[in-house]
Amino acid sequence: MAIPIVVVDDSEHDRYLAKRVIEMLDYDIDVVEFRAGDHFLEKFTDAKSREIEIGTTPPPILVLLDINMPRLDGFDVLSAIKDHFGAESNREVIVSMYTSSSFEDDIERAHGYDFVKDYVIKPLSKSDAQRLVDKHCLNISG
């Protein structure tokens, strides 16, 4: 069964690059893309939509989440995940911020959510992608 990795980013270019880099790895990975935080939340927080869009692999699911997006930014998405899943957030999702922001305040704020496990500066390198999959996905897929 393919490992689902979700990329949430308003930039088509950045989503494309992340998907290409992830697909270069030697794993069966299904990259699911969302162009906005609210689109992701609609699918992720509804069990039936989640199964259709992301798949049935047991959680947690690895999500690469951009910070700077219109409507809902990455921090709004993190808050919504925490509000929806509460103490179970860690069991549902592992987030790696995937952003151009290297501001210490953003890094600290992101790590204030216990389900944010990594912080990657764009563009996603093959070594970053390999590290994320090895660290967060291999134990998920069995």
Side-chain angles (χ1 to χ4, degrees), residues 5-39:
I5 296 179
V6 176
V7 179
V8 184
D9 195 325
D10 61 312
S11 167
E12 183 177 354
H13 176 76
D14 288 336
R15 285 193 320 271
Y16 173 80
L17 289 176
K19 182 176 181 173
R20 294 280 298 163
V21 168
I22 292 166
E23 289 176 342
M24 290 170 42
L25 303 178
D26 291 328
Y27 298 111
D28 183 13
I29 296 174
D30 183 22
V31 178
V32 181
E33 301 175 58
F34 291 95
R35 60 182 165 83
D38 54 340
H39 294 159

Side-chain angles (χ1 to χ4, degrees), residues 8-11 65-70 72-75 97-103 106 119 122:
V8 184
D9 195 325
D10 61 312
S11 167
L65 178 63
D66 188 21
I67 290 177
N68 299 310
M69 296 183 288
L72 291 180
D73 68 18
F75 294 116
M97 302 312 286
Y98 169 61
T99 182
S100 57
S101 174
S102 60
F103 293 120
D106 286 343
Y119 196 100
K122 293 178 185 178

Side-chain angles (χ1 to χ4, degrees), residues 3-5 17-31 62 64 124-138:
I3 300 167
I5 296 179
L17 289 176
K19 182 176 181 173
R20 294 280 298 163
V21 168
I22 292 166
E23 289 176 342
M24 290 170 42
L25 303 178
D26 291 328
Y27 298 111
D28 183 13
I29 296 174
D30 183 22
V31 178
L62 177 61
L64 303 182
L124 183 68
S125 69
K126 187 175 180 185
S127 64
D128 282 335
Q130 184 75 54
R131 180 181 57 77
L132 291 172
V133 171
D134 290 348
K135 183 176 177 183
H136 302 297
C137 295
L138 295 186

